[in-house]
Amino acid sequence: MRRRAFIQGMAAAGGLAFLPSLRAATSVDELPPLEGDLTLYLGRGEGGLYENVLKAIETRNPKLKLGVRRGPTAALANAIVAEGKAGVQRADVFWAVDSGAVGLISDAGIARPLPSDVAAQLQLAFRYDNWTPVTGRIRTLPYHTGRLSAEQIPEDIMAFPDSGLTLGWSPAYASFQSFITAMRLLEGDAATKDWLQRVKRSGKSYAGELGVVMAVERGEVDVGFANHYYTLRLKAGKPDANVALAYTRNDAGCLVNASAAVAVSDKPLATNFIRYLLTEQVQSYLAREAYEIPLVEGVAPPGALPRMSAINPPEIDLTALADLRPTLDLMRDADVL
Amino acid sequence: MIRISPTYPLAAVIAVCALLPLVVLGILAEAPDGLLQARNLRLLGNTLLLAGLTACGSIAIGVPFALLTAYVSLPLQRLWLVLLAAPLALPSYIGAFAFFAAFGPSGEFAVTLGVTIPSVEGMAGAALVMTLYTYPFVMLTTRAALLSLDASQVHAARILGLSLSASLWQVVLPRALRGIGAGALLAALYALSDFGTPAIMGVDTFTRMIYVEYNAFSLGRAAVLSLQLLVIVGLVLFLESQLSSTSERPGRALALYPTSAQTLSAAAVALPIILLALALPIGIFTLWLWREGSAGFELSYVWNSAYAALLAGGFAAILAIPMALAAMAGPAGRFMERLTYFGFGVPGIVMGTALVYVGLQLPSLYQTLMLLVAAYVMRFLPLAVGSLRATAEGIDESLVKAARVLGATPREAFMRVTLPLTRRGLIAGAALVFLESMRELPATLLLAPTGFETLATYLWRVYEAGYFGRAAVPGLLLVLISAFGLMLILSGEQQGDTAHREEECN
């Protein structure tokens, strides 16, 4: 429910983006300089754009010694949990492309509580005690416009395996796995496993969701499963691309998820680093360049955002997506990992 | 009295360390949840199929080229050999990356030339790439076997009326079977343990699934898969050791003099192979470099790669000395040397999984450079030992004896006579370890310290992110490094050849 309120709120904000917002987001100028050693685990997946944010933060804070460990989000989340169990703490901050992975860490009791002023910067529906969403993303169905029209795309995610369409997916990608977690919670394990096995039959697997969208665009598959921004980025670079976005209704197929950050050590530096991710500059950069949805109050969403009023996301709390392990087990059993 | 070589204790310690991954995996392995699950059987099937196809493919390409380079007198003979052996030096994941990016509806050929060539992917793609980069194993082992065969039997066969091709088939190849078999098994071993190629081509083999399990941090399951893979590796190594060597009286090898038309047709057959295996990756990476420049690339990647590999080469050289000496001292030493060969058979992804677990138990080692270097040394030590042994066995024993007669202690004789004389082999061995370490991918992915990006891990990162253009610089550098490796291997072979010839003259 909270999420739908958010989306509708976003739609309104999108329409009025040119008006000055009531509450301005924090500027980097208001933040203390970052100094000392910080180890960031970066769940890669967004290519160069998160790297650019890190570079900008480093340039601004010459005394910050940032060590970055990159890996798939799920792998790093699991590594942090294993490190916690073994009593080996290496990461200070974990920036994940998906809230489920961060929830996993929070559930393991490794996440450190964040000061209340951090959560207060976020929109109401996105305030948590010991981790923070950074930017939002919506699960979408990019389809080949030359071959299909929007009406031909099922509105029920569970109907895809029988739709006769060829499907593209990237099962190893964390956002996809969270989408499967949502499906598990909404439809049950048996139906989800069955869905996975049937999609596998008509599906083609890609290394990442950018790959999925590109495959849809060149007509290799009819429809893909991907986060919204890959399509928007592709279209930004190639306006006549043969791809458009479709959405399902009230199911995991249009899950709204968020990239997220969590402090794993007690260093004040870790918290301050997270504050940088929530600044006006970083949020609007990610909105402008990466087409992600800023979650801090007072930052305008990307202009090319899909028709928000038409979206009906399922009612799932982001923290519920932390239930990642059963999802991985299920995917393994269904032979799709 | 039984004399125990002073090198034994040290060699024993090193040999025990080489077995460490096996012990760790044994501890780590969860009770297999259904060893014969359909899924495991499919993995087994895929892995064996890939290894089998690679072995067959490399025989099909490697044996004709071995005949060509061994027996046929070609213009620019040396160049033929270098070019045909070159794919061996290239890590196959470079090739897989280039093939993946070049072909298919959105590949570089379709984009730049407008010609759509079917994608190279899946089992067929993996087998093709693997074959292109492993056939030199078969070519080189077969060639060595062919060169040791006396031509008089072929001459006899020809005089008795057998055609040339029939006599090659019936008289020559059966005697080179051992060489062919050894090369094919090496190719199969490579296919079993390679991680990058099946991963890029999208084939579920043991190595890829170990990576998937590792990413889910199910180390227990990764360990089970690793042990299963090691059983297959062990089987291949066992088969290889069973290939008995046949010895024939040495004689002059067959020499064939082709017409220029025949030379041209040989070149026409060899050219596509060279184009696919060498020109394609170099061309693709150069195209990307020209199109996108060196964006995103940092020199520190080269330095990190070189630094870790340099440490690995240095340590391997130091550890190789007692091991090689022990191996020459007696059967117990030879057994210990055999144990270190185990590490060479352990796939990088398996070594990585085992050492991540070791690191979690010993936090002072976790995510340290030392652990990464230890993985390199354990995997590649046999290269250094082999190189050192080859040189050390060539030393005239009487030199050491002379030193001893003149009053030198065994230690002094070793330091002042043996060591300087084996320096060449030692350096060559260290260089081989250095080059292998620079190109190593899976263990580096798992074990590299935080922020320690190497050429190989950077290449993998841009592949996963889909920013292929950024692979240009690391890709070309890895090709360049591989070229150095090839020069080193071939110069070693040439030395062997010259030594052989000198012996013949004497």
Side-chain angles (χ1 to χ4, degrees), chain A residues 228-229 231-233 235-236 245 247 287-288 291 301-308:
Chain A
H228 75 274
Y229 46 76
T231 305
L232 300 189
R233 279 184 219 165
K235 286 188 80 109
L245 289 177
Y247 306 86
R288 198 173 58 239
Y291 296 93
L305 253 188
R307 302 165 291 132
M308 281 302 172

Side-chain angles (χ1 to χ4, degrees), chain B residues 425-439:
Chain B
L426 198 60
I427 292 174
L432 276 179
V433 175
F434 173 83
L435 292 164
E436 282 292 337
S437 305
M438 279 203 85
R439 307 182 322 187

